[in-house]
Amino acid sequence: MAEVIAALTALPAYLLFHLTWLIHSLRRPLLLVSLLCLLSNPSAAIKKCRLFYMTFMYLAFCQDKKFKIPKDDPAAYFPVEFGGTAAGNDSNAVVKSKKVILIRHGESTWNDTFNPGGRNIVLFILFYVPNMIKAIANEAYFFIAGKESDSWFFDSALSSKGVKQIMGLRKFLQKEKLRLGSGNIVDEREEFAVKALLAVGSDSSCTSSSSMVVSSNLRRAISTAAIGLSDRFAAQHKDDNILLLPSLQEISFNPDAQTILPAHGVAHPTWCDINIPGIGDKFSSLIDTQYHTGNKPIDSTGLIRLNQFVSDIFSTKCPKETVIAVGHSLFFRSFLQMFLPRNVEHIGKKKKLVNGGTVMVTLGEVTLADGKKVYMIDPKSVVVVYGGFGKHTKK
């Protein structure tokens, strides 16, 4: 038995050795093919080479995750009824508020290659090298074929598992839609969230005229919005689309967190965006890139984008009362850490929102005497609609 276990644990190293040997043996043909690719489709090849260069630069110099949550407690500026601790004249501050529904994207191809997810850790280790070979082969194919808007590692798309996760959200919303008005939904906040997500109901605060969908500029988030909320978009409400907000881009220096989409460019469908029910070939026209300014600057930090995101929510970019934001785990965890009162203990401050997880909060804005704006989440407003945090999930 011990010999079998030893053989199994040695298998990844054995495969890695042979993979290295294979790449070394094929280095000349690979270089020749790469040269032919450069000559046959120079623009696509140059763009891919630029991605490799930018990845090196971000890995070496990006400060995206190097920030600390400010110690200043936003609760000091908000009245008690909003969950704050303001006293005296500060307690009379006028609070503007909006509902914000957070949806985390499904598993990506990057996650599929590098993260165990829910898989058995032993199987993950055993199949790590074969999965890596698969990933490299796909990336090589995209490069050789001149598919400049496709990549396994850069701005990674949803994996097949990720699509199933988001289809789970879509099916949940379809089931909940049948229950609307029946009294079987115990939490009124959950019912409000379901109506807003689907843009249905007699309540004007839940229709497409008062709710909107925004997304990170990364492909897995865009696909999550299109697939998970496809029944909403299938209804073809006027001016109902997916607005890209660069402020929602994930907090990471990894290549999967670098957007492929050029500034104000056309968002082309990935493999999972073709023939989405109710959307069909209208995917690209569904994505609004008017505010998409390209990849995050190398000197950007998550703190800068978190502040920009809450500012965007209350700006003319987001004129609706309910904003459905599709994004990423580290960004949303930092969002809750930063804008929930400092003394509030919440699992979302420590655990990531699961893939496809959906949570609704009420975000408040207060303008101080000096014109400075302060933002805070009402701690009483946080409600899990679908999924949850870590192992604490709701289906």
Side-chain angles (χ1 to χ4, degrees), residues 244-291:
L244 301 192
L245 291 182
S247 56
L248 270 168
Q249 192 168 349
E250 176 64 312
I251 302 171
S252 174
F253 45 72
N254 289 331
D256 68 318
Q258 317 304 322
T259 182
I260 286 178
L261 182 63
H264 312 295
V266 176
H268 297 289
T270 65
W271 72 273
C272 59
D273 301 320
I274 300 172
N275 297 323
I276 297 174
I279 296 177
D281 60 356
K282 299 177 182 178
F283 176 84
S284 295
S285 61
L286 184 67
I287 315 303
D288 186 345
T289 63
Q290 62 175 306
Y291 298 119

Side-chain angles (χ1 to χ4, degrees), residues 56-340:
F56 169 78
M57 295 298 290
Y58 273 83
L59 288 172
F61 304 110
C62 182
Q63 304 293 309
D64 210 28
K65 297 175 71 173
K66 296 183 179 180
F67 69 93
K68 293 183 178 180
I69 301 298
K71 294 182 179 179
D72 189 23
D73 191 348
Y77 305 96
F78 283 80
V80 174
E81 54 267 27
F82 198 82
T85 58
N89 292 333
D90 290 336
S91 64
N92 297 321
V94 177
V95 179
K96 295 180 181 178
S97 66
K98 287 191 176 186
K99 301 288 187 186
V100 182
I101 302 176
L102 311 175
I103 303 176
R104 184 190 171 189
H105 66 78
E107 182 193 72
S108 68
T109 52
W110 174 276
N111 298 143
D112 179 66
T113 302
F114 294 105
N115 300 331
R119 289 174 286 183
N120 180 285
I121 188 66
V122 175
L123 291 178
F124 173 74
I125 293 173
L126 289 175
F127 287 96
Y128 181 80
V129 173
N131 283 337
M132 181 62 73
I133 294 173
K134 172 186 173 183
I136 294 173
N138 274 282
E139 194 65 53
Y141 165 72
F142 293 141
F143 181 76
I144 294 170
K147 295 182 178 293
E148 59 185 70
S149 60
D150 275 319
S151 175
W152 189 274
F153 298 119
F154 304 105
D155 192 357
S156 52
L158 290 179
S159 66
S160 57
K161 179 181 177 181
V163 173
K164 291 178 182 178
Q165 290 168 335
I166 302 310
M167 285 300 295
L169 171 61
R170 180 181 178 230
K171 291 176 181 177
F172 167 80
L173 292 175
Q174 290 174 334
K175 181 181 70 175
E176 292 300 291
K177 183 178 180 180
L178 299 176
R179 295 170 59 186
L180 292 176
S182 65
N184 292 330
I185 298 180
V186 178
D187 196 321
E188 292 182 357
R189 296 173 300 170
E190 181 185 330
E191 182 168 350
F192 177 93
V194 171
K195 288 180 179 178
L197 287 163
L198 293 172
V200 297
S202 57
D203 186 347
S204 60
S205 63
C206 299
T207 63
S208 62
S209 62
S210 57
S211 66
M212 62 182 296
V213 180
V214 301
S215 172
S216 157
N217 52 10
L218 298 177
R219 293 187 298 161
R220 56 191 179 276
I222 300 171
S223 296
T224 294
I227 296 170
L229 304 178
S230 58
D231 293 313
R232 172 194 179 106
F233 298 120
Q236 298 183 353
H237 300 293
K238 184 180 179 181
D239 299 326
D240 195 22
N241 52 27
I242 301 171
L243 178 69
L244 301 192
L245 291 182
S247 56
L248 270 168
Q249 192 168 349
E250 176 64 312
I251 302 171
S252 174
F253 45 72
N254 289 331
D256 68 318
Q258 317 304 322
T259 182
I260 286 178
L261 182 63
H264 312 295
V266 176
H268 297 289
T270 65
W271 72 273
C272 59
D273 301 320
I274 300 172
N275 297 323
I276 297 174
I279 296 177
D281 60 356
K282 299 177 182 178
F283 176 84
S284 295
S285 61
L286 184 67
I287 315 303
D288 186 345
T289 63
Q290 62 175 306
Y291 298 119
H292 173 58
T293 53
N295 200 25
K296 58 191 176 187
I298 199 167
D299 60 349
S300 176
T301 67
L303 184 63
I304 292 173
R305 293 198 303 285
L306 285 164
N307 283 315
Q308 183 60 54
F309 172 63
V310 292
S311 177
D312 287 344
I313 293 295
F314 288 92
S315 73
T316 54
K317 294 178 184 177
C318 300
K320 308 295 180 69
E321 292 304 307
T322 301
V323 179
I324 301 160
V326 185
H328 310 272
S329 60
L330 290 178
F331 187 95
F332 287 154
R333 186 173 67 184
S334 300
F335 173 74
L336 294 174
Q337 290 172 345
M338 185 164 175
F339 296 109
L340 277 171

